[in-house]
Amino acid sequence: DVKVTQSSRYLVKRTGEKVFLECVQDMDHENMFWYRQDPGLGLRLIYFSYDVKMKEKGDIPEGYSVSREKKERFSLILESASTNQTSMYLCASSLPGTRRSSAYEQYFGPGTRLTVT
Amino acid sequence: LAKTTQPISMDSYEGQEVNITCSHNNIATNDYITWYQQFPSQGPRFIIQGYKTKVTNEVASLFIPADRKSSTLSLPRVSLSDTAVYYCLVGSPRPNAGKSTFGDGTTLTVKP
């Protein structure tokens, strides 16, 4: 079974702090994703990466950056946390879209509930 | 990206068949349709994926009409444990095409 793990289930940070959210997958997947989920807004894509050191912006990249130095690890960075970044953050991974049967079959981690006070 | 529209909520009873429809009028030729299930405090879980006609697995069936502008997820004989949010996702299997958009999802409540 694919396993996607996230460094924390719950995190509380203060406004202005730099925050690192870590995600690790163990299935050698090329693609990795960061989403945030808010009530009434569904899941929104922040960033994704299709290879080591490669990244592309999703729908809401403002206020975030990412790092992918190793294939299995994808980090989300909040340079200066703000209260409007309080949310559930979900990491996912998938095989590349070259395989028709696996296109968009994403495997999600358990999520990190971040509270910025 | 194809925008998807789903009903916000649905109610059902144990043992019934549930059909959730997703509209995606702007679906592109190479786009696939994927459905996910999410329980509270968990990440979404892949259910089923299809391109056209009908796909069936051990969990659900996916019906896609010829024009592909909509799709219907069918859950046979639901139980209380099927209470969850169901998301429809449309996207391309192109290489490196990771960008995707989840809609708001459909909250299914199964009653005894």
Side-chain angles (χ1 to χ4, degrees):
Chain A
D1 278 354
V2 177
K3 193 163 185 183
V4 179
T5 56
Q6 296 182 227
S7 50
S8 305
R9 288 303 304 269
Y10 300 94
L11 206 55
V12 180
K13 295 292 182 180
R14 293 196 181 276
T15 301
E17 278 193 81
K18 191 169 186 176
V19 181
F20 291 88
L21 302 182
E22 304 283 341
C23 175
V24 177
Q25 51 95 1
D26 66 358
M27 283 300 291
D28 203 35
H29 282 173
E30 282 78 0
N31 292 345
M32 295 190 74
F33 310 81
W34 275 107
Y35 294 88
R36 64 177 283 178
Q37 185 171 32
D38 302 285
L41 296 176
L43 281 93
R44 293 179 291 168
L45 181 65
I46 304 172
Y47 268 98
F48 74 97
S49 168
Y50 54 88
D51 201 352
V52 174
K53 296 191 186 294
M54 305 303 289
K55 61 185 180 184
E56 286 201 22
K57 294 179 180 179
D59 299 318
I60 51 164
E62 296 79 20
Y64 304 95
S65 62
V66 290
S67 171
R68 190 153 180 215
E69 297 296 320
K70 294 184 178 181
K71 191 175 186 179
E72 68 271 17
R73 188 179 298 270
F74 192 35
S75 302
L76 180 70
I77 303 154
L78 287 66
E79 295 290 343
S80 178
S82 63
T83 54
N84 63 13
Q85 292 178 310
T86 291
S87 185
M88 169 69 84
Y89 289 89
L90 290 157
C91 174
S93 73
S94 75
L95 288 166
T98 52
R99 302 188 188 192
R100 294 170 70 88
S101 64
S102 64
Y104 283 112
E105 183 173 345
Q106 297 181 34
Y107 295 85
F108 283 81
T112 296
R113 185 164 293 283
L114 172 67
T115 302
V116 182
T117 60
Chain B
L1 293 171
K3 179 176 169 54
T4 60
T5 303
Q6 303 172 233
I8 294 173
S9 64
M10 294 182 70
D11 290 342
S12 183
Y13 291 92
E14 283 191 290
Q16 289 188 333
E17 179 185 73
V18 171
N19 296 309
I20 306 174
T21 297
C22 178
S23 297
H24 28 80
N25 291 321
N26 296 324
I27 189 169
T29 302
N30 293 328
D31 284 349
Y32 274 64
I33 300 154
T34 311
W35 284 81
Y36 288 82
Q37 175 192 56
Q38 186 178 26
F39 297 112
S41 301
Q42 293 185 26
R45 183 177 71 98
F46 172 87
I47 301 175
I48 197 166
Q49 183 181 79
Y51 181 78
K52 61 180 179 180
T53 62
K54 177 183 174 182
V55 179
T56 297
N57 61 22
E58 63 278 6
V59 175
S61 294
L62 179 59
F63 298 92
I64 305 168
D67 66 5
R68 304 201 326 122
K69 292 183 183 299
S70 66
S71 58
T72 299
L73 174 73
S74 180
L75 305 172
R77 300 180 60 80
V78 294
S79 64
L80 296 176
S81 63
D82 292 316
T83 293
V85 180
Y86 292 83
Y87 292 95
C88 166
L89 180 67
V90 174
S92 168
R94 288 195 317 275
N96 306 331
K99 197 166 182 176
S100 56
T101 302
F102 283 78
D104 293 336
T106 298
T107 299
L108 172 66
T109 303
V110 180
K111 302 175 182 178

